[in-house]
Amino acid sequence: MLQCIFLLSESGEVMVEKQMTGHRVDRSICTWFWDHLLSLSLSQSQSQPEGGHIAQISQVLTSPTHYLFQLYRHGIIFLACTQLELPPLMPIEFLSRVADILSDYLGGLNEDIIKDNFVIVYQILDEMMDNGFPLTTEPNVLKEMVTPPNIVSKVFTAVTGKASPTVGPTLPEAAASCVPWRTTHPKNTTNEVYVNLVEHLHACVNREGNLRRCEVYGEIQVNSSLPGFPDLTLSFANPSLLNDVRFHPCVRFRPWELSQFLSFVPPDGNFKLMSYRVKGLKKIPIYVKPQLTSDSGNCRISALVGVKNDPGKTIDSIMVQFQLPPGITSADLTSNHGTVDILADKTCRWSIGQIPKDKLPCLSGNLVLEPGMERLHVAPIFQVKFKIMGVALSGLQIDKLEVKTPAANPYKGFRAQTQAGDYEFRS
Amino acid sequence: MAPPVSATKSPSPSQPSGKSEVSDLKLQLRQLAGSRAPGADDAKRDLFKRVISCMTVGIDVSPAFSEMVMCSATSDVVLKKMCYLYVGNYARCNPDLALLTINFLQKDCHDQDPTIRGLALRSLCSLRVQNLVEYLVAPLVVGLKDHSSYVRTVAAIGVLKLYHISATTCHDSDFPAALKALMLSDPDAQVVANCLYSLLEIWTQEAGHSEEAAREIETLYGKPIIYYFLNRIRDFSEWAQCLLLDLVSKYIPADNNEIFDMMNLLEDRLQHANGAVVLATIKVFLHLTMSMTDVHQQVVYERIKAPLLTLVGAGSPEQSYAVLCHLHILVMRAPMLFSSDYKHFYCQFSDPSYVKKLKLEMLTAIANESNTYEIVTELCEYAGNVDVPIARESIRAVGKIALQQYDVNAIVDRLLQFLEMEKDYVTAETLVLVKDLLRKYPQWSHDCIAVVGNISSNSIQEPEAKAALIWMLGEYSQDMMDAPYVLESLVENWEEEHSPEVRLHLLTAVMKCFFKRAPETQKALGAALAAGLADSHQDVHDRALFYYRLLQYDVAVAERVVNPPKQAVSVFADTQSSEIKDRIFDEFNSLSIVYQKPSYMFTDKEHRGPFEFAEDLSNLAIGGDSGDDAIRSAQRYQENDKDLLLSTSDKEENGGPTRNGSNSSTYSAPSDINSSLSALAPSSTSHTVAFAIDDLLGLGVPDAPILPLPPALSLNSKPVLDPGTFQKKWGQLTVSSSQESTLSIQGVASLTAPQSLIRHMQNNSIQCIASGGHPPNYKFFFFAQKEGSSSFFLVECIVNTASAKAQIKIKSDDASASDAFASIFQSALSNFGSL
């Protein structure tokens, strides 16, 4: 099992070191890791975005003494060491769970937050893993063992000059409850539940303008604040649409198998009820038409963006970006709508926002190639980002949500949104 | 949480204030130690935080140990936790001082609050100081019976910690038995899981030398326990489920009904939110259906496909890579089943390179008649990619697909288009591919040569590509007008060519060209041979000398050796043997998959224990050896394949017509070249040396075929026998032949390590299953299989290098053939070292 966990900052500084077993892992392993990282990023193309070189190295590494699992989140590297053979997803899933929980606890993740709260980080790690074996990873239960630093306690400290206890006075009752993700007596319930459909649209259009791939990865996020022991039933208008589903442990499988509805006792607070995949979609909401023509050391570039298959709601925060190919000495790009920036790592970012009613946004300009190069050899790939509120593009619809709770008539809220995932156009 | 006091800001590592800071902390702690003043706890907190931040930054704060312990008498939980953390970190270097902490830890173990009890017990067990073991036993005994499940979970792991500090204490107190009882009776799932975790680790570690532990392990894998767990699996946490599923994957069900029941029960696990659970379940499914080929391939793969594909797309890039690796191995095993999902393996711009690389391999594997066009079109788009390594990989992938498929028409056109892109690396990769393609499909030579002929050799820098181009120049010199002149200019630049590989190819190509177009090449050949003889690289020098003498001996023979008619290569050797692949597959859901190597190739032996089968444990060394050899043999097959290209002498296909026009000139050449060459290197030739070379040739070229094989018995070249069966057979059979044999002197000399003999015997289709010993005595166990039958020959061979004697015991399924085998074995043994 895992022998040690390190948290490193983006500059390679060890921020937290937590030894798990009797076998001590020397922290020189971090130095090795860092050297490895640097040597890799040197040998690779320099045009990586910030932190990109970290994402480019393999998740499982062999150092001379240990196997290292690394996870990079918000400028923090989570590094786990082991010498044993083990299922690779276990440490990776565990580390991402640690990252999620820490960012939930501390209200975000970055170097300073970790450094300011390292005592909490130690406490959480201590509860999450014992002797290298994951122990308590349910956020609700953890919160009762290690009190999160919230505004209340900050105010409390500021007013009384005394620190509030960071540990609950008694053992969490959920540890003994038969539904481990839910405490038996949640406090401060407001008797409401929100269901949020979040979809990521992955699409790829090739040079000829044909749709090569179009898929939706979606999630149903639920924020529940219900008293007692509520039993919820969520049903869809068109469940047959779903290609593959994954559930939070609270979902009962039998009803889903028999009649395709979700029956569950929700944990308190925010959680991911279900994730799903819908493939074989035929329609994309936005298109980009890039055109590149090069001759005698110059390359004319133009790109049109437009709406296709209008989803019925406004498409927001549209952004097109692409990497300028190597071998370009200067670029002069303008657009008739939105702003064009060329970032330090040679990424060209065109922020459009919303598409105006009266004209099609168009980017045009000229790229000057290095002397000696006649024409451009590599064609950039245009990545598009956007957001559509109020629509789930997969077409999935929630039919109804029934709540059985002691308190009458809880408030039920529904939302849907679609975002661009890997949404790209080749040129 | 307390607001960050300015002092708690961790000092930056660039300025470790070191000693002064520590002594300052010490002083302040001492002042606070006895204080019961109202604000004391807060002050302590700040100090503790500073101490721990120093510890984190890497400053050694162990000198403050006694002060820290003095301050630890407190009721504040956070203070306690920080103190435990500190103590746990430094107790090992200060075993004597650690004794001071025992007292308050033991007291905390009886606290009213279960959190504190658990915490104290955990810290107590984490001290890991040998001479404090006696203080651990009593709290653990109490902890295991605690009414709070939290304390019991901690205690269950605590036993394991105790075991690692002192195994005997753990057994003396009968903890394993207590854990087992707890595991089977406790209502709390987490307690049960932790018990199982500890027991598994303790017993597997002991299984090697304790029969009792091995038996206990057996019961864990037995039906009652497995069912006990399976029925409650949903109560367990996701991590514990992974552990259980791993356990279940080692259970062998009695019949098919049982298998289906288990799969039905576990099917919903495939939809768990945690990817680790999903993968563990998939492993169980694969293991359960291993024996049922058709079901295995069809139903199970179909069922696990969707969750895997979802996991790849939905998770973070880190998760998706690990899942992709697993998907990769499944795709490689059954490409057919994934052929309709090829779109999932299209590369995204944002994928990291290593993910793209895996995807390309999978796209290559699943290409078949129905999707080739789409896949190749997609791959060609990557060739213009910004990411150069991936562009290269995708060109290679296109080539591999071309080598797999029968309908290569369109693909060849695509490859030739690559050559017209005029990008250095694209051209280089493509050339290598075109060369391989021509070896397999000689019928395409005209189309390819037309395009290849237009490439300027100056624009190619990479050795491999250059070698490929030179090979084509030599091979198809009759079709390429200016081949001799291109070669000549290459020879002129001999000095500037840094890669010996290219120079070797150049020599051979010039030779081949000479046989086809002698008058034009003669000058170049002379220059090349001269340059080769003067070359500082040993191989190049030797090859030049060899060609030179060969030409001197007889030009016709030289042509037969250097440029025999080629047979099209039907299958290119795989880099990984199927045995290795199977082994990796057996280790599904482990690091082996990510590394694409079986675990014995990368994990240390000492750490392998807990995850191996009990019965495998005793055979670890053997497994390691044979695996290693399997790789070597795989490499050797590859080499043999290459040799085949150079040495086959079947008269087929394009052999005949090539020489038609130039016959006379070829035969007029010898005297010419002789005179010119002997002028070049007059003193180095002597007849005796030439003979010696001939002798070497006679012995060196054929290796296996010259063995005096009795026609009645031929051996299977790749028999498979696992160590367990070997042992069983060895026990059952009687000795059918027992002999003593003598080793040649060369044999003794080359037997410096067992591996050399093992390799030699493998060349003779006799495989080694185990070996050992130190000079002068070695002991080997070999086995071989009769071609076309299932009967095995098992051999025990004890070699004494001092007396050059070998004692052989042969056992066989088929006693009638054992004499024949004995003579094969003996002759193989006596041949050892003579090559």
Side-chain angles (χ1 to χ4, degrees), chain A residues 392-425:
Chain A
L393 275 187
S394 69
L396 186 72
Q397 282 176 346
I398 293 177
D399 189 29
K400 61 180 173 196
L401 176 70
E402 284 172 29
V403 182
K404 278 182 216 146
T405 120
N409 294 328
Y411 177 76
K412 295 182 261 186
F414 299 93
R415 271 201 306 186
Q417 101 182 61
T418 303
Q419 295 172 6
D422 288 326
Y423 195 87
E424 58 188 45
F425 291 80

Side-chain angles (χ1 to χ4, degrees), chain A residues 109-141:
Chain A
L109 263 189
N110 63 42
E111 216 177 304
D112 292 337
I113 293 185
I114 295 284
K115 278 186 182 164
D116 288 346
N117 294 292
F118 65 91
V119 173
I120 289 226
V121 176
Y122 274 122
Q123 288 182 39
I124 293 174
L125 282 178
D126 202 38
E127 293 298 340
M128 286 186 77
M129 184 163 256
D130 193 6
N131 204 39
F133 186 67
L135 193 62
T136 314
T137 52
E138 282 300 329
N140 297 295
V141 183

Side-chain angles (χ1 to χ4, degrees), chain A residues 15 22 67 166 213 244 246-247, chain B residues 56 78 92 273 310 348 602:
Chain A
M15 295 189 294
Y67 306 105
T166 20
R213 173 181 169 219
D244 189 53
R246 283 163 61 195
F247 299 121
Chain B
T56 307
V78 179
R92 266 218 278 192
T310 312
Q348 297 292 326
F602 59 91

Side-chain angles (χ1 to χ4, degrees), chain A residues 61-81:
Chain A
L61 293 169
T62 322
S63 79
T65 48
H66 292 79
Y67 306 105
L68 305 180
F69 297 87
Q70 60 100 4
L71 189 94
Y72 177 72
R73 291 287 150 84
H74 312 288
I76 295 169
I77 303 165
F78 295 79
L79 193 70
C81 317

Side-chain angles (χ1 to χ4, degrees), chain A residues 1-277:
Chain A
M1 280 295 129
L2 299 185
Q3 289 168 328
C4 188
I5 291 180
F6 293 102
L7 267 60
L8 307 184
S9 75
E10 218 166 7
S11 53
E13 181 189 343
V14 181
M15 295 189 294
V16 168
E17 168 186 354
K18 175 84 183 134
Q19 302 283 345
M20 293 295 175
T21 61
H23 171 93
R24 259 190 105 75
V25 183
D26 196 82
R27 66 163 63 191
S28 62
I29 195 93
C30 297
T31 324
W32 180 91
F33 172 77
W34 202 250
D35 291 345
H36 182 76
L37 203 71
L38 289 181
S39 69
L40 236 117
S41 60
L42 278 184
S43 67
Q44 270 180 356
S45 55
Q46 327 74 14
S47 60
Q48 293 294 340
E50 179 77 1
H53 59 286
I54 299 172
Q56 281 289 326
I57 75 165
S58 173
Q59 263 56 62
V60 188
L61 293 169
T62 322
S63 79
T65 48
H66 292 79
Y67 306 105
L68 305 180
F69 297 87
Q70 60 100 4
L71 189 94
Y72 177 72
R73 291 287 150 84
H74 312 288
I76 295 169
I77 303 165
F78 295 79
L79 193 70
C81 317
T82 183
Q83 286 180 307
L84 305 168
E85 169 77 300
L86 79 180
L89 265 189
M90 214 146 132
I92 294 172
E93 286 267 359
F94 180 77
L95 288 182
S96 46
R97 188 68 58 90
V98 171
D100 290 348
I101 284 179
L102 285 184
S103 82
D104 182 31
Y105 252 87
L106 310 175
L109 263 189
N110 63 42
E111 216 177 304
D112 292 337
I113 293 185
I114 295 284
K115 278 186 182 164
D116 288 346
N117 294 292
F118 65 91
V119 173
I120 289 226
V121 176
Y122 274 122
Q123 288 182 39
I124 293 174
L125 282 178
D126 202 38
E127 293 298 340
M128 286 186 77
M129 184 163 256
D130 193 6
N131 204 39
F133 186 67
L135 193 62
T136 314
T137 52
E138 282 300 329
N140 297 295
V141 183
L142 271 175
K143 274 187 188 155
E144 295 190 24
M145 291 180 166
V146 183
T147 318
N150 51 20
I151 298 166
V152 180
S153 75
K154 273 190 189 141
V155 171
F156 180 78
T157 339
V159 173
T160 62
K162 261 168 108 185
S164 65
T166 20
V167 174
T170 50
L171 188 76
E173 290 156 61
S177 122
C178 61
V179 187
W181 54 87
R182 192 175 174 84
T183 51
T184 31
H185 304 291
K187 296 143 264 181
N188 318 322
T189 56
T190 48
N191 198 25
E192 50 191 16
V193 54
Y194 295 94
V195 180
N196 195 1
L197 231 64
V198 180
E199 298 199 334
H200 287 264
L201 183 67
H202 299 270
C204 175
V205 177
N206 74 352
R207 214 159 287 175
E208 283 88 42
N210 301 325
L211 189 60
R212 299 304 307 255
R213 173 181 169 219
C214 187
E215 266 186 321
V216 160
Y217 283 89
E219 274 176 25
I220 300 182
Q221 294 167 351
V222 177
N223 188 353
S224 126
S225 175
L226 297 167
F229 224 71
D231 205 321
L232 275 64
T233 315
L234 181 71
S235 57
F236 300 104
N238 44 1
S240 59
L241 206 72
L242 303 171
N243 271 101
D244 189 53
V245 285
R246 283 163 61 195
F247 299 121
H248 187 272
C250 71
V251 176
R252 301 187 186 98
F253 283 94
R254 195 34 68 84
W256 172 259
E257 263 169 36
L258 291 178
S259 36
Q260 256 102 79
F261 62 86
L262 301 174
S263 157
F264 57 98
V265 177
D268 216 33
N270 256 319
F271 69 101
K272 195 163 93 179
L273 177 68
M274 163 179 160
S275 56
Y276 58 89
R277 180 165 59 93

Side-chain angles (χ1 to χ4, degrees), chain B residues 818-835:
Chain B
S818 73
D819 277 340
F821 174 73
S823 65
I824 294 182
F825 189 85
Q826 283 226 351
S827 71
L829 198 63
S830 57
N831 261 336
F832 176 52
S834 62
L835 293 183

Side-chain angles (χ1 to χ4, degrees), chain A residues 130 135 171 175-176, chain B residues 114 117-118 121 139-159 179 182-183 185-195 198:
Chain A
D130 193 6
L135 193 62
L171 188 76
Chain B
R117 286 206 299 276
L121 189 59
L140 274 177
V141 171
V142 179
L144 284 175
K145 292 183 184 130
D146 200 289
H147 62 266
S148 160
S149 61
Y150 178 74
V151 182
R152 291 200 301 274
T153 44
V154 171
I157 293 288
V159 170
L179 279 187
L182 199 60
M183 179 180 81
S185 61
D186 204 282
D188 185 90
Q190 190 64 48
V191 179
V192 174
N194 281 8
C195 289
S198 299

